[in-house]
Amino acid sequence: MRNALLKMAIVLAACVMMLFACRKNGAPVQVAAPSEDALEKIHNLGFSNKNVTIDEDGNYVVEGDIVLSKMHLDAVPEMQFLRVGSEEQYRTNNLVTGVPRVIKISIASKLPSSYTAALDEAIARYNAENLSITFQRVSSGADISIVKGNGNFLASAGFPTSTGNPYSQIKVNSNAIGNQPQATVASILAHEIGHCIGFRHTDYMNRAYSCGGQAVNEGASTIGAVHVPGTPTGPDPNSWMLSCIGSGQNRPFNNNDKIALGYLY
């Protein structure tokens, strides 16, 4: 969502006044700092290797909310994609296949009950676009499981598998999100679902656009980022895949988001 790399009490209150990112300021739970070798591999894959953390499962969290496993780092991509332009819609090389297809999503009972309504809203946003993939909330047998997460991120997810399945898990740090409006939580969940089906951040090449601070140019390497034709080559305000989202903000799909979704699915 450009969302949020979204300390309790005082720190959370301060966070509400600032930007949520797909990763947020919370009490970090890190196993160890990433090695120089891992950081180099992350960069070579076309991701930012700045502010990389390690989650409770030992996976690397990059760009605030994107999960990369050690397997990802050691994989050798079969092709290389190059970036076109500066701020556009981007996808990964892997997409969900076997369409038309219903993608089933479950949400853990450990998360606040209000998040179920937010998930339903996020699902409705996608299903209203008449795509070749649709989404359905289920209690079991899910393709994507939304679970409670910890650490210094707001939410995190990964990208589709090489076999054409969506990434199977979204971690949500409800302690960091706090009592945000339903529409904000829906925007966060829709953003992470976007990663699960193959979307990268819209401001992939300049996270300062939505997050503020120093611009980070991540480059485009092996899996890099693939421009989605028909989307703008300039800044795209309010896109659901911007890296960071403001407190209380709602990010339904804008026109360019709809073009990108329609082009891919």
Side-chain angles (χ1 to χ4, degrees):
M1 231 184 338
R2 294 342 190 30
N3 181 310
L5 292 170
L6 272 167
K7 238 171 163 204
M8 303 246 55
I10 296 176
V11 176
L12 179 59
C15 290
V16 169
M17 299 300 294
M18 300 171 65
L19 287 175
F20 284 109
C22 296
R23 160 166 61 79
K24 215 35 176 176
N25 294 327
V29 178
Q30 297 182 15
V31 176
S35 67
E36 290 300 320
D37 179 63
L39 293 176
E40 181 178 2
K41 289 179 179 180
I42 289 168
H43 180 266
N44 290 339
L45 285 173
F47 295 92
S48 171
N49 62 1
K50 308 298 182 183
N51 302 315
V52 176
T53 61
I54 300 176
D55 69 14
E56 60 266 39
D57 295 325
N59 295 318
Y60 299 93
V61 181
V62 305
E63 299 177 21
D65 69 334
I66 297 172
V67 176
L68 296 176
S69 67
K70 186 178 184 300
M71 184 179 299
H72 286 122
L73 269 58
D74 292 336
V76 179
E78 295 179 354
M79 60 188 76
Q80 179 170 346
F81 292 99
L82 298 179
R83 179 182 61 86
V84 180
S86 297
E87 286 97 358
E88 306 152 326
Q89 287 285 2
Y90 294 99
R91 70 170 178 87
T92 59
N93 54 342
N94 292 335
L95 296 175
V96 174
T97 59
V99 297
R101 178 173 180 177
V102 177
I103 297 176
K104 299 176 181 179
I105 307 178
S106 65
I107 185 165
S109 59
K110 290 183 179 180
L111 289 167
S113 58
S114 60
Y115 283 37
T116 298
L119 174 59
D120 288 341
E121 181 176 336
I123 287 174
R125 293 181 187 185
Y126 279 100
N127 290 346
E129 298 306 311
N130 297 314
L131 306 173
S132 60
I133 55 174
T134 55
F135 297 86
Q136 177 185 1
R137 179 166 60 84
V138 298
S139 58
S140 62
D143 301 299
I144 301 173
S145 299
I146 300 178
V147 302
K148 184 173 177 59
N150 300 295
N152 61 349
F153 56 86
L154 172 64
S156 66
F159 296 126
T161 68
S162 59
T163 57
N165 291 315
Y167 189 76
S168 63
Q169 187 179 84
I170 295 172
K171 291 184 178 181
V172 177
N173 188 346
S174 56
N175 292 332
I177 296 173
N179 296 320
Q180 287 296 306
Q182 176 177 310
T184 303
V185 179
S187 296
I188 292 168
L189 296 179
H191 177 101
E192 300 306 327
I193 292 170
H195 284 317
C196 290
I197 63 174
F199 281 91
R200 289 202 58 176
H201 292 142
T202 310
D203 52 355
Y204 149 80
M205 289 306 296
N206 182 9
R207 289 172 52 77
Y209 180 70
S210 68
C211 299
Q214 184 178 3
V216 176
N217 185 319
E218 296 154 2
S221 186
T222 46
I223 65 173
V226 188
H227 172 229
V228 178
T231 62
T233 57
D236 187 15
N238 302 317
S239 170
W240 108 104
M241 289 309 296
L242 284 172
S243 296
C244 294
I245 187 171
S247 174
Q249 189 173 3
N250 181 22
R251 285 228 181 104
F253 304 132
N254 67 18
N255 288 336
N256 295 318
D257 295 335
K258 293 180 179 183
I259 290 173
L261 283 163
Y263 183 86
L264 296 188
Y265 293 110

